[in-house]
Amino acid sequence: MTKDFNANALRVILRRMSEPSDAVPRPAEPSLEEQIAAYQREFQDLDPQVEKVVSALQRLNRRMNVAYGRQTATLGISNAEWEVLKALVVSGAPYRLGPGELAKRLGLTPAAMTHRIDRMASEGLVNRERDENNRVRVIVELTTEGREKWLEAMRLASVFEEDLLQDLDSRERGLLGDVLTRLLRRVEDAQPDAEGRLTDLD
Amino acid sequence: MTKDFNANALRVILRRMSEPSDAVPRPAEPSLEEQIAAYQREFQDLDPQVEKVVSALQRLNRRMNVAYGRQTATLGISNAEWEVLKALVVSGAPYRLGPGELAKRLGLTPAAMTHRIDRMASEGLVNRERDENNRVRVIVELTTEGREKWLEAMRLASVFEEDLLQDLDSRERGLLGDVLTRLLRRVEDAQPDAEGRLTDLD
DNA sequence: GCTTCGAACTTTAGAGTTGAAGTCTTCAGC
DNA sequence: GCTGAAGACTTCAACTCTAAAGTTCGAAGC
């Protein structure tokens, strides 16, 4: 190893020059404003108003999912399992659905559903049994324990959600809910073409 | 096999009785209104106004991600890869970040980042090289091709997003952006406690 | 009744993620 | 300089999801 006597010191200096003010750890990602400004620099046609809505929507959802994940983890379940519990509760008493129907509602493949039900059955959250009227079909039924877990998760979630919306008064909450519902209907009703463009169904 | 002569016919009748009106295929999941009504039946303390906002947010985001996925697929990349391209573009010229920094910005583990960069480097979307000033570090740099891909994806996405917000006038878009930003700030600034409750930092 | 088609679910193989352990480089003290 | 500790990334094993093939049962035609 033939090195110049100060090569090491030089490297250190160069490195420090390249990142001089890193003493205070920065946030995990740039702020929304910085992000949109960067997009505009690189893509002139961007409508900043539209981008603000869309980016905020995406970030908000990611943060919320992290928060839900922390909550469900304290109950010993995952967000994925909570989704299944929710679908069964929404289906109403007697809280029974087939794997295929569950998969459709959760937007999963039937194969993934099989595995989730395996896990949840072994944890006692659901029962899996064959339909005696049609032995090809399977019935997934919420257990009492599963229903309790849903309720606990719901209690935690509703506290978090109330905290989240704390700064909005009732009028603002109503307006927000209505606007989001309109957007949702637009995505759900319109048939996107090959490029994903939404075509009107007027 | 000793069977009653009409056992099969009886089973058919029973099965039909248990699902009489399934001729018309139902939508994949219950409507937002049905979902909230079901929650309220099972959990009295629920605030339907809050739940409407939260559920609409979640559904909207899921649908949007499906739409983005269809678009990026037409470009031969995945949503995951698009996320990396976005982070690099947002970082600004010369479009270089380390794997660790990228992982933080995307909310991934460093291990997952390593694999993503493997793929994207083999597809020519990024270059991976060692930092000569500090040979522990790695620099991921956007290639020209990667930058083009980002631009194409952006063009598609902005059309979709404009379609999505089509029914909102400029005033509504502005208000929606502001409200969502307020919610986002609430999640980002507040430190959630063990149960995920947001504690004020006033 | 027998056979074939179709429906509902499961199994398998492959891709992507996480958490933990491992490797290599740099930093700090002696 | 040498040595141990810390940092940045990678590797490994286990897990979850998708797509496709496989299995089992029921329905319809002969």
Side-chain angles (χ1 to χ4, degrees), chain A residues 28 50 64 72 87 93 142 192 199 202:
Chain A
V50 170
M64 285 172 66
T72 51
L142 199 58
T199 57
D202 289 337

Side-chain angles (χ1 to χ4, degrees), chain A residues 83-98 101-102 105 139-142 150, chain B residues 26 29-30 34-39 41-42:
Chain A
E83 294 294 325
V84 178
L85 297 181
K86 284 197 279 193
L88 284 169
V89 167
V90 167
S91 79
Y95 311 116
R96 294 155 150 260
L97 288 173
E101 180 64 24
L102 273 171
R105 297 193 183 199
I139 295 178
V140 179
E141 183 180 32
L142 199 58
W150 174 80
Chain B
R26 285 164 307 169
E29 50 184 355
E34 285 166 354
Q35 179 182 319
I36 293 172
Y39 282 160
R41 268 197 305 278
E42 310 284 339

Side-chain angles (χ1 to χ4, degrees), chain A residues 55-132:
Chain A
S55 295
L57 219 43
Q58 291 182 138
R59 277 204 199 194
L60 186 53
N61 225 70
R62 224 173 53 192
R63 307 285 181 151
M64 285 172 66
N65 284 337
V66 171
Y68 288 129
R70 263 197 292 263
Q71 292 189 323
T72 51
T74 68
L75 302 177
I77 64 175
S78 67
N79 272 353
E81 291 173 325
W82 190 33
E83 294 294 325
V84 178
L85 297 181
K86 284 197 279 193
L88 284 169
V89 167
V90 167
S91 79
Y95 311 116
R96 294 155 150 260
L97 288 173
E101 180 64 24
L102 273 171
K104 258 190 292 185
R105 297 193 183 199
L106 300 184
L108 292 178
T109 60
M113 209 60 239
T114 295
H115 295 313
R116 270 200 204 178
I117 294 167
D118 285 348
R119 265 175 280 149
M120 295 181 70
S122 75
E123 292 164 353
L125 298 171
V126 299
N127 278 330
R128 188 215 312 252
E129 51 192 51
R130 293 217 95 90
D131 184 339
E132 282 310 316

Side-chain angles (χ1 to χ4, degrees), chain A residues 1-8 11:
Chain A
M1 305 234 185
T2 62
K3 278 181 180 176
D4 195 352
F5 76 98
N6 58 2
N8 213 2
R11 269 215 306 280

Side-chain angles (χ1 to χ4, degrees), chain B residues 12 15 99-100 111 114 128 136-137:
Chain B
V12 171
R15 190 182 50 74
T114 295
R128 187 212 315 251
V136 181
R137 295 198 171 182

